[in-house]
């Protein structure tokens, strides 16, 4: 294992949508949303905004934080569930905006675990000597695929982006252990059905709302806690690190009750867990880099500390990365 995070950045669109705003859209209440999810507000990308703006701003910050220029990158990995276009995805638009020249890029689709998957892929490519310095972006405009009439989903999500620069590191620094898993039998739990080649968009699919993101919330909830616990423990074992030596856990921000249950099962106090779901809701692939960036900037997370990043998401996918930051 031989790569570390050189620079980090994030972006949240300015428009705030509060629980009170949602009370005016669907039959819900601020109290229900707070108690059942821990969410108070979220950011929403304006309808007329180009979603690329989120990746651009997060990447520029990450480059600045890492003290390097875009010309020094040699790969872009863009983790997202809902790309700018089904084809060619999102990465080309960000590469164009950042003027990345002829370096390779690709979209990575692994549900809300996309950022963790991206870290493992980037680390492996650096370890294999293929690339030196990789830009990994997690960006999601979930508001664009949300059914704003469905109270079971619309209260949960928000928009945002996070980006990191990953580069070769001396042994013992950066990524120390990883764990990646998935279970295709649970593919039905989180889905946007229409618009792919299995169910192309038609008048019928639109009338049936099959172009919106849907999920089996309760089933996801049950699996989420065990998947993140399993991966975190496996990544720690692979790294040869004891739980007692961990400074921070940064879990995917899907529901405060999932995060609390994870803390309980791992026997880690909540004050060692980074939480920002109250302010940004579930931002999917952006959730971990957003939380990491925020806690790094406000001084909670410091260089040299041991972090566990863990996520789960559509697929279902799950995983964890243990790193010396
Ligand atoms: N406002 C008010 N009531 C709501 C509501 C809302 N926004 N959404 C659902 N309800 C109602 C339900 O209709 C149900 O009413 P009923 O008992 O009369 O049928 C009641 O609240 C309980 O619903 P339930 O689905 O059992 O709630 P829950 O405690 O399981 O919480 C989730 C629902 C979605 C918040 C929770 O299951 C969850 O977070 N799951 C994981 C989702 C997730 O992580 N997704 C992304 C993965 S990356």
């Amino acid at each position: 294992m031989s790569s570390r995070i050189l620079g980090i950045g994030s972006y949240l669109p300015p428009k705030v949508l509060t629980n009170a705003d949602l009370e005016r859209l669907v039959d819900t209440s601020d109290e229900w949303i707070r108690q059942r999810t821990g969410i108070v507000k979220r950011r929403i990308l304006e309808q007329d905004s180009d979603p690329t703006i989120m990746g651009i701003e997060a990447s520029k910050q990450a480059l600045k934080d890492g003290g390097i220029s875009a010309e020094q990158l040699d790969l872009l990995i863009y983790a997202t569930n809902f790309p700018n276009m089904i084809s060619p995805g999102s990465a080309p638009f960000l590469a164009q905006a950042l003027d990345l020249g002829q370096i390779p890029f690709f979209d990575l689709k692994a549900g809300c675990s996309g950022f963790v998957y991206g870290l493992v892929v980037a680390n492996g490519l650096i370890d294999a000597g293929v690339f030196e310095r990789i830009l990994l972006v997690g960006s999601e405009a979930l508001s664009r695929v949300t059914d704003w009439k469905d109270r079971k989903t619309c209260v949960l999500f928000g928009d945002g982006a996070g980006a990191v620069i990953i580069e070769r590191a001396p042994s013992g620094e950066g990524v120390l252990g990883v764990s990646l898993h998935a279970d295709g039998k649970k593919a039905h739990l989180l889905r946007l059905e229409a618009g792919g080649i299995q169910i192309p968009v038609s008048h019928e699919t639109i009338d049936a709302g099959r172009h919106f993101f849907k999920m089996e919330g309760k089933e996801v909830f049950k699996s989420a806690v065990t998947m993140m616990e399993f991966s975190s423990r496996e990544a720690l074992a692979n790294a040869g690190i004891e739980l007692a030596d961990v400074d921070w856990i940064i879990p995917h921000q899907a529901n405060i009750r999932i995060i609390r249950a994870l803390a309980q099962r791992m026997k880690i106090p909540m004050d060692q867990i980074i939480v920002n779901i109250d302010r940004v809701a579930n931002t999917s692939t952006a959730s971990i880099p957003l939380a990491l960036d925020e806690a790094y900037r406000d001084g909670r997370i410091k260089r040299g500390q041991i972090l566990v990043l863990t996520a789960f998401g559509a697929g279902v996918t799950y995983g964890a990365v243990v790193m010396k930051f």
Side-chain angles (χ1 to χ4, degrees), residues 27-29 32-33 36-37 112 151-152 155-157 190 215 217-218 220-221 252 254-255 257-258 282 312-313:
D27 180 16
T28 191
S29 66
W32 191 97
I33 304 171
R36 297 295 183 113
T37 71
C112 296
R151 69 176 185 174
K152 286 189 175 160
V155 302
L156 299 176
F157 301 109
L190 298 135
M215 64 178 188
K218 260 199 183 330
V220 175
F221 192 110
H252 172 46
N255 187 319
R257 292 185 294 140
I258 293 176
N282 180 347
F312 67 94

Side-chain angles (χ1 to χ4, degrees), residues 260-290:
R260 283 197 198 113
L262 176 71
Q264 217 167 34
R265 290 175 72 124
M266 302 272 302
K267 298 192 175 56
I268 284 235
M270 276 302 284
D271 58 13
Q272 264 179 273
I273 303 213
I274 304 293
V275 175
N276 68 354
I277 188 172
D278 49 325
R279 284 157 285 130
V280 301
N282 180 347
T283 57
S284 188
T285 51
S287 95
I288 289 178
L290 266 171

Side-chain angles (χ1 to χ4, degrees), residues 80-93 105 107 109 195-197:
T80 192
N81 288 290
F82 305 110
N84 289 32
M85 294 183 189
I86 296 278
S87 178
S90 281
F93 299 103
F105 51 66
D107 280 25
K109 191 193 276 279
I197 54 168

Side-chain angles (χ1 to χ4, degrees), residues 114-308:
F115 185 78
V116 167
Y117 266 60
L119 272 181
V120 176
V121 170
N123 183 60
L125 287 168
I126 288 173
D127 199 26
V130 184
F131 297 108
E132 290 283 325
R133 216 169 272 124
I134 298 173
L135 170 61
L136 169 63
V137 176
S139 182
E140 218 74 66
L142 282 152
S143 62
R144 302 261 167 112
V145 294
T146 294
D147 181 353
W148 292 102
K149 291 188 180 122
D150 176 12
R151 69 176 185 174
K152 286 189 175 160
T153 51
C154 77
V155 302
L156 299 176
F157 301 109
D159 300 335
V164 290
I165 313 292
I166 302 158
E167 68 157 17
R168 188 179 300 282
S171 181
E173 277 182 34
V175 175
L176 304 174
V178 305
S179 158
L180 281 191
H181 291 279
D183 182 357
K185 290 196 197 80
K186 293 184 174 168
H188 62 285
L189 292 185
L190 298 135
R191 65 206 185 277
L192 191 156
E193 296 163 351
I197 54 168
Q198 192 169 333
I199 308 172
V201 175
S202 66
H203 288 296
E204 289 73 29
T205 61
I206 289 176
D207 289 346
R210 297 175 84 183
H211 56 298
F212 292 127
F213 185 61
K214 295 195 173 57
M215 64 178 188
E216 311 305 323
K218 260 199 183 330
E219 286 309 305
V220 175
F221 192 110
K222 277 188 238 160
S223 306
V225 182
T226 45
M227 292 188 295
M228 288 201 291
E229 183 193 6
F230 179 86
S231 264
S232 299
R233 289 192 189 278
E234 187 172 73
L236 282 166
N238 290 342
I241 300 270
E242 297 294 324
L243 202 47
D245 296 323
V246 171
D247 293 293
W248 297 101
I249 293 192
I250 308 166
H252 172 46
Q253 311 278 313
N255 187 319
I256 191 68
R257 292 185 294 140
I258 293 176
I259 296 174
R260 283 197 198 113
L262 176 71
Q264 217 167 34
R265 290 175 72 124
M266 302 272 302
K267 298 192 175 56
I268 284 235
M270 276 302 284
D271 58 13
Q272 264 179 273
I273 303 213
I274 304 293
V275 175
N276 68 354
I277 188 172
D278 49 325
R279 284 157 285 130
V280 301
N282 180 347
T283 57
S284 188
T285 51
S287 95
I288 289 178
L290 266 171
L292 175 63
D293 189 41
E294 184 186 281
Y296 170 51
R297 278 176 206 287
D298 70 21
R300 274 175 294 164
I301 292 182
K302 295 178 181 58
R303 287 289 179 184
Q305 288 187 324
I306 301 289
L307 313 181
V308 180

Side-chain angles (χ1 to χ4, degrees), residues 50-125:
D50 178 349
T52 317
I53 187 73
M54 300 201 293
I56 296 173
E57 294 303 322
S59 301
K60 280 186 178 166
Q61 258 189 37
L63 287 164
K64 193 171 167 209
D65 184 50
I68 63 159
S69 63
E71 297 85 64
Q72 290 172 273
L73 297 169
D74 48 20
L75 174 69
L76 161 65
I77 304 177
Y78 195 117
T80 192
N81 288 290
F82 305 110
N84 289 32
M85 294 183 189
I86 296 278
S87 178
S90 281
F93 299 103
L94 183 61
Q96 200 179 88
L98 292 176
D99 206 5
L100 295 187
Q102 301 293 305
I103 71 162
F105 51 66
F106 60 90
D107 280 25
L108 187 156
K109 191 193 276 279
C112 296
S113 314
F115 185 78
V116 167
Y117 266 60
L119 272 181
V120 176
V121 170
N123 183 60
L125 287 168

